[in-house]
Amino acid sequence: MTRAGERSYDERAVAVGVLRLGRQGRAVLSAACCQTLWSTYDAVAPARLEASALVHEHVLDELWAYAAGERGPDGLVDLDPVVDEVTPRDDSDDWSASSAFLQSVGIAILNALHGADTDDPKRAVFAARQLQDVADHVDGLAEDDGPSALALICELVDTYLAAAAACETGAGDGVATLRDTCEHDGERLAALALPHLGDEPTPAPARVPSEEAGDGLVDELVADLRQCADAMDDLVQELRPGGEAAERATLPRSGVLPSVGFYRLHGYGCRVTMRDGREVDFDWDAAGRPSLDLWRSQSYLESRGYAPQDEAALEADLRAQRHLVTDDRSGHLWFRLDARR
């Protein structure tokens, strides 16, 4: 049976179109494909890991900045390990109905990153191929029911090739408008998939009763705090609130923290989302030492699935931790990390 609007995906024609593009055009095409795939996944996934979302959204920002000529290719490929870490594997224990969509997002982004690094046209072709893979997956779920996702993808890739060529000549509506279009395109593709995905349960973190959450957890909090603070120091040697050191700091407000996860600066501090979803939120004191309080400690434990702790008991555990020093600042209790070891 022929499906509504059915047509075949012609990768040879896509490759010819890619070869007619310069480096910027290929970057635009790759970013467009990645954005559409991410927007599709965002619409079909009933629950997504915050760490995964932070990584993908940050990397997409970087890919679009590169496509717009706002940054060079240097350093983009360094994002590869973090993207690879959050890309589902076929044999993973937590594979779900939406995992195939997230896997295609990761593969497309990895190709876009390596395309920026090597200027290899095939990488843009491979990024576009992920749209075809997702469309084939959606059409397979739908069998012969409804319009063809592959027909939609063929239309979108043609549109993105034309938009990429227009961006190189200064014509068209520009990169920002194209990104908005891709977000809408992802929703169109998701609309074809959703009726056939069934009800995928929303995973909820295990909530451990507070009386079972004690032994060793504060030690693990301190270990994670030290790892995150050390990684931030490695990322930029002098990141301190106020004074000349802060004026010399050039660290972006958010980004990937190598070998750890993703960071986001706020006020005098930083929140790090580690690769497994743990969140460590801390401030630097006036001397540049990492510190946390009861609220940040509770947030860390909750990110690991523990129920809120009794504040008096948690405070006692923090006071007793030998690597933390109690620091009362203007009536607010802080616990700062001792000298690095």
Side-chain angles (χ1 to χ4, degrees):
M1 179 183 295
T2 301
R3 305 193 44 195
E6 189 170 31
R7 58 180 283 197
S8 60
Y9 183 81
D10 188 348
E11 188 167 272
R12 180 182 292 274
V14 173
V16 170
V18 167
L19 290 174
R20 290 174 179 158
L21 298 172
R23 188 164 193 154
Q24 184 196 10
R26 293 192 290 272
V28 170
L29 173 64
S30 296
C33 294
C34 293
Q35 184 68 61
T36 299
L37 287 162
W38 172 251
S39 297
T40 302
Y41 169 72
D42 195 33
V44 303
R48 37 174 206 165
L49 287 175
E50 182 67 12
S52 171
L54 287 171
V55 167
H56 286 103
E57 288 167 1
H58 171 72
V59 176
L60 281 167
D61 287 345
E62 294 298 309
L63 288 173
W64 281 110
Y66 173 57
E70 297 169 359
R71 62 154 296 165
D74 295 346
L76 280 176
V77 75
D78 295 337
L79 301 174
D80 178 315
V82 183
V83 175
D84 185 64
E85 181 76 18
V86 296
T87 299
R89 303 293 192 272
D90 291 338
D91 58 354
S92 62
D93 293 335
D94 57 352
W95 185 271
S96 66
S98 60
S99 294
F101 296 88
L102 184 58
Q103 185 181 66
S104 289
V105 174
I107 295 172
I109 288 178
L110 291 170
N111 275 291
L113 293 174
H114 284 273
D117 182 57
T118 64
D119 196 24
D120 182 354
K122 292 193 297 293
R123 293 292 188 168
V125 178
F126 296 157
R129 181 186 293 171
Q130 294 311 306
L131 282 170
Q132 178 201 4
D133 287 350
V134 165
D136 285 341
H137 178 60
V138 172
D139 284 343
L141 292 172
E143 297 179 344
D144 292 326
D145 182 23
S148 166
L150 189 60
L152 173 60
I153 288 306
C154 293
E155 170 196 326
L156 296 183
V157 173
D158 287 347
T159 299
Y160 299 160
L161 281 167
C167 286
E168 288 191 319
T169 63
D173 295 325
V175 168
T177 300
L178 178 59
R179 185 173 189 176
D180 291 341
T181 299
C182 293
E183 291 176 351
H184 175 65
D185 291 341
E187 294 169 358
R188 293 170 63 194
L189 181 56
L192 297 179
L194 282 169
H196 311 288
L197 288 176
D199 294 326
E200 181 177 322
T202 300
R207 306 300 286 179
V208 180
S210 58
E211 64 268 22
E212 297 180 11
D215 293 344
L217 278 175
V218 170
D219 293 342
E220 294 174 22
L221 165 60
V222 171
D224 284 344
L225 172 61
R226 191 181 298 279
Q227 180 186 7
C228 294
D230 285 346
M232 292 298 295
D233 280 352
D234 290 341
L235 194 62
V236 59
Q237 291 302 311
E238 291 183 302
L239 177 65
R240 301 293 182 258
E244 295 180 359
E247 294 171 1
R248 292 196 300 270
T250 58
L251 196 66
R253 299 299 294 176
S254 63
V256 173
L257 194 57
S259 302
V260 178
F262 186 89
Y263 75 89
R264 193 177 297 275
L265 298 178
H266 57 74
Y268 295 114
C270 178
R271 184 183 73 185
V272 176
T273 303
M274 305 180 79
R275 290 183 175 183
D276 63 358
R278 286 173 291 167
E279 290 193 353
V280 182
D281 195 328
F282 60 94
D283 276 14
W284 286 279
D285 67 9
R289 297 168 297 196
S291 308
L292 46 76
D293 58 6
L294 280 172
W295 180 82
R296 288 167 174 79
S297 301
Q298 290 276 26
S299 295
Y300 168 82
L301 295 174
E302 290 180 16
S303 76
R304 295 189 53 182
Y306 289 94
Q309 305 294 290
D310 176 78
E311 287 197 2
L314 180 57
E315 179 181 331
D317 288 341
L318 290 166
R319 286 180 180 275
Q321 220 290 330
R322 63 192 181 95
H323 295 300
L324 293 177
V325 177
T326 304
D327 186 6
D328 191 334
R329 299 180 217 156
S330 303
H332 188 79
L333 187 61
W334 290 87
F335 301 91
R336 62 176 170 81
L337 199 59
D338 66 356
R340 306 299 171 85
R341 306 193 328 159

